[in-house]
Amino acid sequence: MKSCKPLLWHSAQHLDNLSPDIIYQGEQRLELSEHKKERQEIVNKIDEVISCNEGVCKSPQATIYYTFSNFVVKSIPEERDGYGRLAPILSYGNFPDEKTSLDTESTWVQEVSNEIMKFSRSIQLTLSKDAQEMIEKLLREAIENMRQKKIQKDLWKELQAFLLTFGIAIVAPIILGGIIHEQIPQILQPLTQQNLGQQTPITNLQSILQTLVLWLMGFVTVNNVILVLSLKMPSLLMIHRYFKMRKIMAYEPKVYKR
């Protein structure tokens, strides 16, 4: 990520339930009369992230919906609308690059929460300090969840590639050897016709060739298996270590601070 200052799009309803929604791109207010298309685009993006159901982190003060690249923070201000209902603030943005350092990532999380707090103040809505802290906590949780999902996705792709390569390494020589094995009698047919009175030598030759093909097929198959395993062993060990670590972490007791 080149800069830790995020660009956010914000959407909030008017508490009077009559005026058009308040929509900002960064610090620029998008008025309905001038930016109808841009307003609809951001509404569509927010709806897409919320409805995709890729990931959700919830709390009473805030909820974060997210995909692999985007997120929507739903913050709950203290004020209610004219009917006494919650009037959430929706903030849309992009996650930092996956290669971002932990320090920069931490700064990015703080910047996102600061931008949301700044927007709420600009439209006279109140988000508590607890809400800001919860937004930061949920953002970190969402980033970690997406990081783990991406690791799992990459490992699954690696496993699929291994299984495909392993399958081809075994099946290909078996199929080829089987075809050659079945074709040997036809290959020797001209010799059989030329030596009608000498069937035994031809039969022996056919048997020897078919046996050699089977042995060669087995040798190539075993050689392919050893070669694939030797090339893919680091990836297989990495997959094994990852899921073993996940299993250990799943059984670790959680410590809650009082």
Side-chain angles (χ1 to χ4, degrees), residues 2 18 35 39 48 84 94 125 131 164 176 195 203 216 244-245 256:
K2 296 177 181 179
L18 298 173
H35 302 281
R39 286 168 61 92
E48 183 179 350
N94 301 317
L125 292 179
L164 179 61
L176 183 60
N195 300 274
T203 303
L216 183 60
K244 183 178 180 181
M245 184 61 65
Y256 297 93

Side-chain angles (χ1 to χ4, degrees), residues 76-79 89 117 120-121 123-129 131:
I76 308 299
E78 296 177 359
E79 292 80 8
I89 296 171
M117 298 296 288
S120 68
R121 289 192 296 268
I123 60 173
Q124 286 76 54
L125 292 179
T126 308
L127 291 174
S128 66
K129 184 67 176 176

Side-chain angles (χ1 to χ4, degrees), residues 180-189 206 209-210 213:
I180 297 174
H181 182 273
E182 294 300 321
Q183 291 296 316
I184 286 177
Q186 296 183 20
I187 295 172
L188 296 178
Q189 189 174 5
Q206 176 179 317
L209 288 176
Q210 287 180 323
V213 168

Side-chain angles (χ1 to χ4, degrees), residues 8-23:
L8 300 180
W9 288 259
H10 306 281
S11 175
Q13 70 177 69
H14 269 282
L15 298 183
D16 60 12
N17 299 112
L18 298 173
S19 305
D21 289 348
I22 305 168
I23 297 181

